[in-house]
């Protein structure tokens, strides 16, 4: 049972990380449009993808940004 939870969590992390790439790009385009800002947002979105549901929430929140 515990192994199943870990597998599902890893899958969710990968999905949220992929969504975080687009979110980081959109947030970079709205703010400082440079490489440093993009790396910063990628770091933030990568850390947010570890928490189940947070990456999806941020993607929905900034989808129209």
């Amino acid at each position: 049972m515990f192994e199943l939870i870990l597998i599902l969590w890893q899958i969710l992390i990968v999905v949220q990380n992929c969504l975080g790439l687009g979110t980081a790009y959109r947030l970079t385009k709205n703010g400082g449009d440079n490489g440093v800002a993009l790396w910063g947002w990628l770091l933030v979105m990568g850390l947010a993808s570890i928490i189940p549901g947070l990456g999806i929430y941020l993607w929905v929140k900034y989808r129209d940004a």
Side-chain angles (χ1 to χ4, degrees), residues 12-51:
L12 188 60
I13 286 174
V14 169
V15 168
Q16 290 186 140
N17 204 5
C18 291
L19 294 175
L21 295 175
T23 305
Y25 179 75
R26 282 192 298 274
L27 290 171
T28 302
K29 282 297 185 184
N30 287 342
D33 192 10
N34 59 35
V36 176
L38 179 60
W39 279 106
W41 282 116
L42 284 173
L43 176 67
V44 169
M45 292 301 148
L47 293 174
S49 71
I50 296 172
I51 301 170

